[in-house]
Amino acid sequence: DLHSFPTRRSSDLHIVVAGVLLVENAPMDTTARSRAGALGLMQVMPFHAGGWGCDSSELRELDANVCHGVGVLQMYLQRNPSVTTALRRYNGCSGCRRYPARVLRTASSIRREMLAQANAPAGKPKAATPSKTGTRTYAIRVAGAERRSTSGF
């Protein structure tokens, strides 16, 4: 159910980060630049560079971009009463409905895939859709790495 997902649980929010990655930049192009000027995997606006405790302010660097994107998303999640509103702010659209719905649908799909993989018999992981395997695998890895490396949003 999109209206109840995600909760404020850290594990769900990390999956939202993976959802943002896939919606913002499905090809996972670290050199991507939007028409509005957002850069990298998570499509971070340049005015956000240099904050969030990230090691680098170079938004075209993979780790720096994800660090900044997660920092910005975390700020909006802390400041807004709902995940939908926070996602709208992250995207820069105050009244749009499509973007938050796409991210939450994608995050729900990733969560289902992660659960299926976790519950698959040893040696028989459930495969993702072939055309999306690399991208989804990366996003799932990012969600897992973020969950392990932080104490939560």
Side-chain angles (χ1 to χ4, degrees):
D1 177 40
L2 288 179
H3 299 291
S4 64
F5 179 83
T7 66
R8 292 279 177 183
R9 291 188 326 231
S10 175
S11 60
D12 286 342
L13 294 172
H14 295 293
I15 295 169
V16 172
V17 169
V20 168
L21 278 170
L22 289 172
V23 170
E24 288 289 346
N25 191 345
M28 296 295 185
D29 180 4
T30 58
T31 64
R33 181 183 179 93
S34 74
R35 287 177 286 195
L39 301 170
L41 288 180
M42 292 191 70
Q43 293 293 281
V44 179
M45 292 300 286
F47 60 82
H48 289 297
W52 319 108
C54 302
D55 291 337
S56 170
S57 61
E58 179 50 56
L59 295 177
R60 292 194 190 267
E61 292 175 7
L62 175 68
D63 291 340
N65 188 275
V66 172
C67 179
H68 283 81
V70 169
V72 172
L73 183 58
Q74 180 178 356
M75 173 189 68
Y76 288 131
L77 288 165
Q78 290 170 346
R79 289 184 181 177
N80 292 281
S82 75
V83 174
T84 300
T85 302
L87 288 169
R88 285 182 184 138
R89 300 260 192 284
Y90 183 86
N91 186 248
C93 61
S94 59
C96 66
R97 296 181 190 268
R98 281 184 174 165
Y99 178 79
R102 283 179 57 208
V103 169
L104 294 176
R105 257 192 321 273
T106 302
S108 291
S109 173
I110 291 168
R111 181 167 62 176
R112 282 191 304 275
E113 287 181 34
M114 289 175 76
L115 289 172
Q117 289 176 10
N119 295 325
K124 287 192 158 193
K126 183 179 179 200
T129 306
S131 63
K132 297 180 181 177
T133 300
T135 301
R136 286 201 178 275
T137 299
Y138 178 78
I140 289 168
R141 243 189 353 231
V142 166
E146 284 297 317
R147 183 174 46 238
R148 288 187 302 276
S149 68
T150 64
S151 60
F153 287 74

